[in-house]
Amino acid sequence: MKLSCEVNVHHLTRVEGHGNIHISIKNGVVKKAQWEVVETPRFFEAMLVGKHWENAPYVCGRICGICSIGHTLASIRAVENAFGITPSTQTANLRLLLKHMETLQSHILHLYFLAAPDFLGAGSVLPLATTHPEVVQRALRLKLLANDACDIIGGRRLHPTRTVVGGFTMLPEKGALEKIRQRLLASVPDLLASAELFKTFAIPDFSRETEFVSLKGDTGYPFIGGGLVSTDGVVKKEHQYRAMTNEYCQKGFTSKLSKLSRPSFAVGALARLNNNFTKLHPTAREISKFLGLVPVNHNPYMGNVAQLVECVQVVLDSVQLIDTLLGSPWQEARQPVKAKKGEGVGAVEVPRGILYHYYKFDKEGKVIKADCVIPTSQNHANILHDIEALAGQYAKTGKQDREIELLAEMLVRAYDPCISCSVH
Amino acid sequence: MSEPLSYLGVPLARPKVGFFELSSCEGCQLQLLNNEATLLDFLNLVEIVNFREGMSERGDNYDIAFVEGSVTRKDEIARLTAIRKHAKILVALGSCACFGGVNQLKNRFRDLEWVKKEVYDDFPIETMEVHPLADFVQVDLEIFGCPIKKEEVERIVTDLVLGKTVRHPEYPVCMECKANENICLFELGEPCLGPITRAGCDAWCTSNRRGCWGCRGPAEGANLKQLEEIMRTYGFARETILDRLECFGGFASFADTLRPKAKKSPVTQKATAGRKKS
């Protein structure tokens, strides 16, 4: 039986950013199992120093090309918390709706374009357009809906234009929101078909006990602000994010890493779902059960399934949000902003997990200190430990190098890492 | 997806293209996937042989290389040079590639060691002053914007495939904004670089009542003096203009002329930025 294996993946494909995987097994013993992050740092926290507060959301939204809306909202929340601004109910609802549509867009992109090709035996989504046209068309329909909604609410799907401290520069047309509502309702069959498709996928049998960190929902499934929680029982307030993330640097990573009760923890859809399962919409919860996902689930590959469940969650919640928004006349789009000395934290659940922005301002509202803790940087150490455990599990099974390589690649992809974001 | 292409009855070659990224948010590449309605038609125009973010297969046999991001570490110079060697046409995709983008905001600081320490404390990390692609290799075509506008990219790629000359608008965003019948943002109390920024985005931000931050760089004959006067008339601080001028790097030489005059700047900031041309 084959008991040795060499896997060296340089710049893993179908993930955002640059990471490498190295696995070396000799005679059934794991000699090396590494996850390396080689992305170039861009120094966003330094860039902002000395800058007026309005630069923060504008510049920091550009940390990420996939979840720019989430970054912008986290940044805005941090500034508003620092200045003591409470967004109006209308602003809060519009922001959550915008956030939902980004979540849908990002999850569909990951599930269909980045993850699904592995389960369907393809190298990318391109051949699937020929072999599985209905699957690709469905993905494009869902993604288009989400992106159109982001355009209507945020002004632009990538690096949004209307989102500002204090509210929005402009409000959407009510008729446009009504059309989005109809399209959301019409998308439910596509989501159910997605669930049927993912039910057929062979999720690798692997599990490693993990601490999961996310926002804790008081009333609903949480996305913007609130308390922090872990499955190991750690509970913190939003402004105590540093005690929840404990960032450190390590050789082999240009990104920072995080730990909490154990040497590593996980954030993301699976963490949110593990911590807030009872807060899901009943339909989303049923689909979760249908796909075999019940908390606390320790199989990282189930991150894909958790994202799919969240697609259902955000679509159904968005319909309710639009009903609320359409049910009353538009109020002021934007409230005045008065800068003051102080500091603020904004915690937002972006597609890949909990994101924190922190700023400290002087009395003129200029940035003295900035800090952004990214979901994928919180996940890196956990990915590393998962790869070690995965290599250990398959060390004596006689699998071919390519099989172990694919399992490792799929494992990293299941975290939907946003590596350039994590290094920022 | 593979039937032969023709234009006005003339058969067309489907160029092989590769997508690459240096230091960036990878958003410009994603903008191409963000084009659901026309994505499949667009993909029919070209043969993608390298797109790490979207596919596992990787080839070096590309005719056109689209490179996103700016150069911020030495190894990126080697990667860029290798891409240049393989490509017949090298396209700088987005503001980071064209001007340095938001990444070049760190060039404001004289002391790179301070920049590193601010983020990483004493952990050793490699970085360098941020540069656009053209500082190291010949760039055949620039596509401006943060983010790029997908309709514009599709038009440019179509022109490339058809062998047409690719032209950028010479006039400023202000023209497109007026054509869209927007209320002038100055009248709404919002600072704006629309009068001096190159058009082509169809006044993307200003049509959403967000002032222009100049991500596409200067229009032909951009008149900074005039803009300063407009901003002064409407009561905006010089620093407000500077924030916008220096945000993406396209106006680096303009920003340089403004920076020493700014009322207050952190002691660590340079008198002049590293990039000389605009």
Side-chain angles (χ1 to χ4, degrees):
Chain A
M1 192 165 77
K2 187 177 174 304
L3 287 175
S4 292
C5 159
E6 285 296 328
V7 170
N8 287 294
V9 181
H10 179 69
H11 290 183
L12 173 64
T13 59
R14 276 186 282 126
V15 296
E16 201 279 354
H18 300 90
N20 305 332
I21 301 170
H22 302 289
I23 296 174
S24 178
I25 299 170
K26 296 252 158 55
N27 300 319
V29 179
V30 180
K31 295 286 178 193
K32 186 165 76 174
Q34 274 176 352
W35 167 238
E36 256 179 8
V37 171
V38 294
E39 188 79 27
T40 51
R42 287 172 290 159
F43 297 92
F44 274 88
E45 286 107 334
M47 278 179 211
L48 282 181
V49 173
K51 284 268 180 199
H52 187 259
W53 59 267
E54 69 167 339
N55 287 271
Y58 192 82
V59 172
C60 281
R62 284 163 167 81
I63 286 176
C64 184
I66 310 178
C67 52
S68 58
I69 289 170
H71 273 280
T72 306
L73 293 179
S75 182
I76 287 173
R77 184 174 169 84
V79 178
E80 289 180 350
N81 281 341
F83 295 168
I85 296 170
T86 309
S88 69
T89 310
Q90 174 182 293
T91 293
N93 283 339
L94 272 173
R95 283 178 181 165
L96 183 56
L97 180 59
L98 179 61
K99 179 87 248 330
H100 279 353
M101 292 298 97
E102 177 184 73
T103 304
L104 180 63
Q105 184 277 129
S106 175
H107 282 0
I108 293 295
L109 172 77
H110 174 248
L111 290 169
Y112 277 95
F113 288 54
L114 309 184
D118 287 328
F119 294 98
L120 295 169
S124 76
V125 73
L126 296 180
L128 298 183
T130 313
T131 57
H132 299 74
E134 75 294 345
V135 170
V136 176
Q137 293 293 351
R138 186 196 306 142
L140 290 173
R141 264 198 308 275
L142 287 165
K143 208 162 120 31
L144 180 64
L145 159 62
N147 272 330
D148 283 350
C150 290
D151 284 349
I152 285 164
I153 304 155
R156 184 161 65 195
R157 57 195 61 183
L158 170 61
H159 303 329
T161 52
R162 294 183 178 183
T163 42
V164 287
V165 175
F168 287 83
T169 61
M170 239 176 132
L171 296 172
E173 298 282 336
K174 288 209 165 180
L177 274 188
E178 175 57 39
K179 280 200 188 112
I180 291 296
R181 183 184 180 280
Q182 287 165 12
R183 285 171 68 188
L184 284 167
L185 288 172
S187 76
V188 173
D190 276 346
L191 292 171
L192 297 178
S194 302
E196 294 284 354
L197 175 69
F198 274 73
K199 180 91 175 160
T200 66
F201 289 172
I203 307 282
D205 180 21
F206 169 80
S207 151
R208 186 179 70 83
E209 206 180 288
T210 299
E211 180 174 22
F212 292 96
V213 173
S214 73
L215 285 175
K216 177 72 185 157
D218 291 328
T219 46
Y221 195 81
F223 281 100
I224 300 181
L228 318 174
V229 70
S230 97
T231 45
D232 281 8
V234 182
V235 177
K236 300 273 177 214
K237 298 220 164 60
E238 192 170 358
H239 70 267
Q240 298 170 307
Y241 77 101
R242 280 202 186 92
M244 205 70 175
T245 51
N246 307 301
E247 284 200 307
Y248 63 97
C249 295
Q250 185 176 309
K251 198 167 172 286
F253 293 86
T254 52
S255 158
K256 292 177 186 173
L257 306 164
S258 282
K259 59 183 170 189
L260 188 55
S261 316
R262 305 164 189 242
S264 68
F265 65 86
V267 298
L270 188 57
R272 283 191 290 263
L273 195 139
N274 274 333
N275 278 316
N276 298 284
F277 189 71
T278 57
K279 301 287 191 254
L280 280 170
H281 188 286
T283 308
R285 207 159 48 220
E286 280 312 305
I287 288 177
S288 191
K289 287 180 191 160
F290 167 73
L291 291 166
L293 176 53
V294 188
V296 174
N297 187 299
H298 291 279
N299 181 350
Y301 293 94
M302 289 300 269
N304 294 317
V305 171
Q307 285 191 336
L308 184 51
V309 173
E310 286 195 338
C311 288
V312 178
Q313 172 67 23
V314 296
V315 163
L316 297 175
D317 196 46
S318 294
V319 173
Q320 288 181 6
L321 279 169
I322 294 178
D323 283 342
T324 307
L325 286 161
L326 292 177
S328 53
W330 281 138
Q331 311 291 316
E332 280 294 320
R334 190 174 182 177
Q335 55 174 303
V337 178
K338 199 171 174 330
K340 66 173 195 186
K341 187 179 167 180
E343 53 188 342
V345 177
V348 170
E349 285 285 357
V350 294
R352 288 152 198 79
I354 190 161
L355 164 72
Y356 309 94
H357 278 230
Y358 160 89
Y359 309 109
K360 186 175 182 184
F361 297 103
D362 67 13
K363 63 181 193 311
E364 290 174 26
K366 299 238 177 85
V367 177
I368 299 171
K369 184 83 194 164
D371 186 28
C372 305
V373 184
I374 312 293
T376 297
S377 64
Q378 297 169 67
N379 274 334
H380 281 321
N382 213 59
I383 294 175
L384 172 67
H385 293 139
D386 274 356
I387 289 180
E388 287 166 357
L390 185 81
Q393 178 169 325
Y394 288 103
K396 293 190 171 85
T397 53
K399 280 201 181 299
Q400 294 300 313
D401 287 10
R402 180 56 204 143
E403 288 176 90
I404 293 184
E405 180 178 309
L406 182 63
L407 281 166
E409 288 187 355
M410 287 168 69
L411 174 72
V412 177
R413 284 188 193 117
Y415 279 90
D416 190 8
C418 191
I419 301 169
S420 53
C421 202
S422 74
V423 179
H424 65 285
Chain B
M1 297 239 327
S2 54
E3 60 277 16
L5 280 180
S6 75
Y7 178 65
L8 303 174
V10 180
L12 288 176
R14 190 181 270 121
K16 293 185 168 66
V17 302
F19 291 92
F20 305 90
E21 66 290 314
L22 305 179
S23 299
S24 67
C25 75
E26 302 196 7
C28 287
Q29 288 180 68
L30 275 165
Q31 273 294 80
L32 300 171
L33 294 179
N34 267 344
N35 217 357
E36 299 83 4
T38 50
L39 182 66
L40 296 179
D41 288 338
F42 177 70
L43 292 176
N44 195 30
L45 262 185
V46 294
E47 184 187 335
I48 300 183
V49 295
N50 203 317
F51 185 8
R52 190 197 50 77
E53 198 171 351
M55 58 194 267
S56 291
E57 301 82 355
R58 291 185 244 204
D60 283 330
N61 53 333
Y62 40 86
D63 305 309
I64 309 175
F66 290 90
V67 183
E68 178 182 2
S70 46
V71 177
T72 75
R73 202 172 59 194
K74 279 198 187 111
D75 59 308
E76 290 184 321
I77 304 174
R79 276 185 64 211
L80 178 61
T81 313
I83 295 166
R84 175 70 268 187
K85 222 171 260 174
H86 290 294
K88 292 193 185 78
I89 298 173
L90 189 145
V91 183
L93 192 64
S95 297
C96 290
C98 296
F99 313 124
V102 288
N103 299 342
Q104 54 80 49
L105 276 171
K106 89 168 197 275
N107 292 358
R108 290 188 299 133
F109 300 101
R110 183 183 288 122
D111 184 359
L112 203 56
E113 289 307 310
W114 176 86
V115 171
K116 290 190 204 174
K117 220 175 158 77
E118 178 68 11
V119 180
Y120 287 94
D121 288 328
D122 293 326
F123 183 72
I125 197 91
E126 200 191 331
T127 190
M128 59 185 246
E129 188 173 63
V130 175
H131 289 272
L133 308 186
D135 283 1
F136 301 103
V137 295
Q138 185 196 322
V139 170
D140 302 303
L141 185 67
E142 291 177 300
I143 299 182
F144 307 115
C146 180
I148 54 166
K149 185 134 193 171
K150 60 203 169 65
E151 292 83 355
E152 192 183 21
V153 181
E154 288 191 347
R155 181 180 55 75
I156 288 173
V157 172
T158 309
D159 286 354
L160 274 177
V161 173
L162 298 178
K164 289 191 194 167
T165 311
V166 178
R167 284 185 196 284
H168 289 294
E170 297 183 355
Y171 48 86
V173 171
C174 220
M175 300 263 287
E176 291 177 332
C177 192
K178 294 275 184 297
N180 287 348
E181 302 182 348
N182 295 321
I183 304 169
C184 179
L185 287 173
F186 287 124
E187 300 296 338
L188 295 174
E190 172 85 15
C192 185
L193 294 192
I196 57 168
T197 302
R198 187 188 293 277
C201 59
D202 196 25
W204 214 353
C205 296
T206 57
S207 297
N208 285 294
R209 285 193 202 155
R210 185 65 172 262
C212 173
W213 283 60
C215 72
R216 301 171 61 84
E220 303 295 325
N223 187 340
L224 181 67
K225 282 274 160 289
Q226 190 63 37
L227 180 87
E228 275 188 84
E229 200 168 314
I230 300 173
M231 292 282 230
R232 207 164 34 236
T233 309
Y234 283 91
F236 298 115
R238 193 190 296 272
E239 196 184 342
T240 307
I241 316 176
L242 182 59
D243 276 345
R244 285 152 180 78
L245 283 174
E246 70 182 6
C247 192
F248 295 100
F251 291 94
S253 64
F254 287 5
D256 286 352
T257 65
L258 239 67
R259 199 172 283 114
K261 289 184 270 176
K263 220 172 82 187
K264 274 190 181 173
S265 63
V267 284
T268 42
Q269 285 193 12
K270 287 182 185 182
T272 53
R275 187 160 150 73
K276 295 294 175 274
K277 56 188 172 174
S278 65

